[in-house]
Amino acid sequence: MTHPTGPRFEGKSYDFAKYVDCQNWIGGEWVAASTGESQAVVNPRHGEVMGRVVMGGAADVDAAVAAAKAAFPAWRATPMRERAQILYRLKGIMEENMEELAWLLCHENGKLWGESKASVDKAIECLEMGCSLANMMAGGQLDVSRGVNCEVSYEPLGVVAGIVPFNFPTMVPMWMLPQALVSGNTFVLKPSEKVPFGAQKLAHMFKAAGLPDGVLNLVNGAQATVEAICDHPDIKAIGFVGSTKVAKIVYERGAAHGKRVLALGGAKNHLVLVNDADLELASENIPASAFGCAGQRCMAASVLVGVGDVQKYVDRMVELTNQMEMGKDIGPVIDQAAVDRITRYIDDAEKRGAKVLVDGRGKKGPGNGFWFGPTILDGVTPDMPAGCDEIFGPVLSIIRVNTLDEALRIENKSPYGNAAAIFTSNGHTARYAVERFQAGMCGVNIGVPVPREPFSFGGWNDSKFGHGDMTGEDGFRFWTRPRKVTTKWAKQADQTWMG
Ligand code: NAD
């Protein structure tokens, strides 16, 4: 008998384990792609194929949208409290199967066990926000004049879609699904073709929690699937998370087809280190931010701007980084293309005069996969590619300046604006910097300043296209539209302009 949460993933350690092939989930059926195409899903630690994923196209998007459209009337008519109950049940199922979910992520994405577990915890936290909506989002009403009442309610948009990246296979879909589904939409999700299994598991778990067929559909694939989503006339809104290049394409193409689009893009996050900062706090936090999840986080520290003499901090960071063990303290990156790209940035920075304080090139881990050691570059300048491009790997580029204003000018010049943080022991300095950062998510003595629920997630500038943020209350607003109803039941003696 099949398990209610789908085929079990049996891996319970980093040892290589295979998994089943991933199909599309349309109207409550697992189906092959119309294209007949599929591609390998490679375990980044071992470099071995753990399964395959179908690669869909426009016909698969059509089928998923048709299923979502058919499911919409009944789902919309289901009271919000009942819709939220499904998320409560899903939370229980995810907690019961936490180990399996987390090990699956270790294998498809390469994360360390602790990183995987934390990302599933965060996915559950996002789910809790969805559970709360039925208590938080009742709408509102007011007597706006004598005998005249105005009421606002938030209505679903219809069929909506989400397109997600490889770095958080379970968490990023949960930035979208709770708010979108609880508010009454039906959904087409396009997982990353590099890591399709996390979303596949979620679909099984949603089903086990009682989500009606067709309310959530998965179409696997890459560019062709994404383009079909952008162009489809029956998809009303798209949430996208990925690189800036693709975020811009999806934003523009989706908007050209009249859709509401919120597209979160890439990042180049600056951490400003002032030499009054706590030595241990800063020296532990900064490498943890740069090298956690092998630097494959949109919130990872990428540039460290040291103000004044920060040598003792750099020395301590180098010492701590040199202690990191491959495969235990840092996992692999996603594929060989990532290893090659990161190598190119370091070679180039070295050629331009940067000093490689810790060199991750050629470092191997336990397994024949895609390893890259943590790397610290010193003497980087803001115009070097390593100083301004998103590298998306375990590389920390140090730029040294004399004043805080100089540091802020460098941060402000970056076209991105996802996160920025300052390390200092002085409250005024912290406030001065935070008020001037060009970033949507700022930190004080925190290397990864992710605003946890109920606060919303989203950057500024080239790190986000569209209005509002992805999670929290903003997420609810994004996936709904307000209906205002103005009512009068009797003619009033004292006429107003609304009479
Ligand atoms: P990506 O942009 O390559 O892929 C994202 C999605 O777009 C995937 O589902 C992919 O299949 C699809 N896609 C890829 N190329 C496409 C194309 N040419 N046309 C249409 N669709 C395409 O991103 P990735 O490599 O999977 O993820 C890493 C990137 O995501 C980094 O830039 C990272 O900063 C960013 N990211 C941002 C956030 C955020 O909140 N801002 C969060 C996580 C990741």
Side-chain angles (χ1 to χ4, degrees):
M1 205 186 90
T2 20
H3 193 272
T5 61
R8 303 290 283 175
F9 178 67
E10 301 297 347
K12 289 187 173 55
S13 71
Y14 293 122
D15 292 345
F16 180 73
K18 278 199 177 272
Y19 195 47
V20 296
D21 291 350
C22 182
Q23 296 192 305
N24 290 336
W25 173 241
I26 296 179
E29 304 276 344
W30 291 101
V31 292
S34 62
T35 56
E37 288 169 16
S38 69
Q39 78 175 38
V41 180
V42 177
N43 171 316
R45 179 175 277 255
H46 296 279
E48 281 185 58
V49 177
M50 62 181 285
R52 297 189 68 80
V53 59
V54 299
M55 299 295 283
D60 303 284
V61 172
D62 273 346
V65 173
K69 216 172 158 183
F72 179 65
W75 183 241
R76 179 197 177 154
T78 304
M80 199 185 203
R81 281 192 180 284
E82 273 178 44
R83 295 194 296 245
Q85 283 305 319
I86 293 172
L87 295 202
Y88 279 106
R89 289 199 289 275
L90 177 63
K91 176 170 148 59
I93 292 171
M94 288 181 75
E95 283 165 350
E96 272 164 38
N97 295 279
M98 168 65 85
E99 292 246 328
E100 187 195 7
L101 277 170
W103 276 120
L104 183 56
L105 295 194
C106 291
H107 282 254
E108 68 172 341
N109 171 280
K111 283 188 201 304
L112 300 174
W113 163 255
E115 295 168 347
S116 283
K117 164 112 181 13
S119 83
V120 179
D121 282 338
K122 183 73 174 81
I124 291 174
E125 197 173 296
C126 295
L127 195 54
E128 287 166 5
M129 180 71 195
C131 294
S132 323
L133 290 178
N135 294 318
M136 288 167 55
M137 296 297 176
Q141 63 78 34
L142 188 73
D143 284 343
V144 290
S145 184
R146 285 188 177 77
V148 180
N149 181 272
C150 197
E151 135 191 352
V152 62
S153 60
Y154 292 89
E155 311 248 337
L157 303 174
V159 179
V160 297
I163 301 161
V164 293
F166 79 80
N167 61 334
F168 286 95
T170 307
M171 183 185 81
V172 174
M174 283 300 193
W175 287 358
M176 306 177 189
L177 290 170
Q179 275 88 336
L181 296 181
V182 170
S183 55
N185 299 284
T186 53
F187 208 97
V188 177
L189 178 67
K190 208 298 280 174
S192 164
E193 67 283 13
K194 295 178 185 171
V195 292
F197 299 129
Q200 183 193 23
K201 257 288 162 203
L202 279 184
H204 278 293
M205 289 182 173
F206 265 113
K207 169 85 181 163
L211 192 74
D213 291 343
V215 173
L216 169 64
N217 305 275
L218 305 189
V219 183
N220 287 289
Q223 185 170 350
T225 314
V226 170
E227 288 175 355
I229 289 173
C230 293
D231 298 350
H232 202 293
D234 290 333
I235 293 179
K236 302 298 177 200
I238 304 175
F240 172 90
V241 180
S243 62
T244 289
K245 183 185 131 216
V246 185
K248 212 156 174 250
I249 293 171
V250 169
Y251 180 74
E252 287 170 359
R253 192 159 173 157
H257 285 85
K259 297 184 201 325
R260 186 181 289 193
V261 185
L262 179 59
L264 271 51
K268 186 78 176 171
N269 303 316
H270 291 66
L271 302 191
V272 175
L273 171 64
V274 183
N275 59 14
D276 64 357
D278 182 281
L279 177 64
E280 281 309 302
L281 181 95
S283 311
E284 281 174 19
N285 250 270
I286 294 169
S289 170
F291 308 137
C293 297
Q296 300 174 124
R297 286 190 288 199
C298 67
M299 296 296 282
S302 182
V303 176
L304 174 64
V305 193
V307 181
D309 180 5
V310 292
Q311 194 55 43
K312 65 177 181 194
Y313 301 87
V314 173
D315 290 344
R316 181 73 180 126
M317 281 185 246
V318 167
E319 188 185 333
L320 290 172
T321 304
N322 278 327
Q323 289 167 11
M324 290 178 75
E325 228 179 277
M326 301 294 288
K328 182 169 160 278
D329 302 315
I330 182 165
V333 294
I334 190 70
D335 53 20
Q336 188 56 42
V339 174
D340 297 343
R341 181 187 67 241
I342 302 162
T343 308
R344 276 197 304 275
Y345 274 105
I346 297 170
D347 291 349
D348 174 82
E350 202 175 24
K351 254 189 238 138
R352 291 170 194 259
K355 215 168 140 197
V356 187
L357 300 183
V358 182
D359 195 347
R361 288 171 292 190
K363 283 252 174 76
K364 292 286 168 212
N368 292 321
F370 315 116
W371 296 95
F372 206 98
T375 299
I376 301 183
L377 300 174
D378 200 0
V380 174
T381 58
D383 53 340
M384 286 183 193
C388 57
D389 293 357
E390 179 175 48
I391 301 175
F392 218 56
V395 182
L396 182 66
S397 300
I398 302 177
I399 298 178
R400 297 194 188 228
V401 296
N402 293 319
T403 67
L404 179 57
D405 282 324
E406 244 180 291
L408 291 171
R409 269 196 297 278
I410 290 169
E411 189 278 337
N412 288 180
K413 251 183 104 178
S414 169
Y416 297 102
N418 217 40
I422 180 149
F423 283 80
T424 178
S425 298
N426 182 308
H428 170 71
T429 308
R431 192 176 171 135
Y432 184 88
V434 164
E435 284 174 353
R436 285 161 181 78
F437 281 145
Q438 274 296 311
M441 294 176 278
C442 298
V444 176
N445 297 322
I446 295 210
V448 186
V450 173
R452 300 180 64 155
E453 307 306 298
F455 300 102
S456 60
F457 190 98
W460 288 359
N461 307 327
D462 282 359
S463 292
K464 190 184 72 188
F465 303 90
H467 175 74
D469 275 347
M470 184 63 84
T471 63
E473 203 177 309
D474 271 23
F476 179 77
R477 303 264 182 240
F478 178 74
W479 300 110
T480 57
R481 50 187 172 177
R483 185 199 293 281
K484 288 74 60 185
V485 182
T486 306
T487 307
K488 182 172 81 167
W489 288 109
K491 188 171 184 320
Q492 298 296 306
D494 49 349
Q495 282 287 344
T496 67
W497 64 273
M498 290 190 95

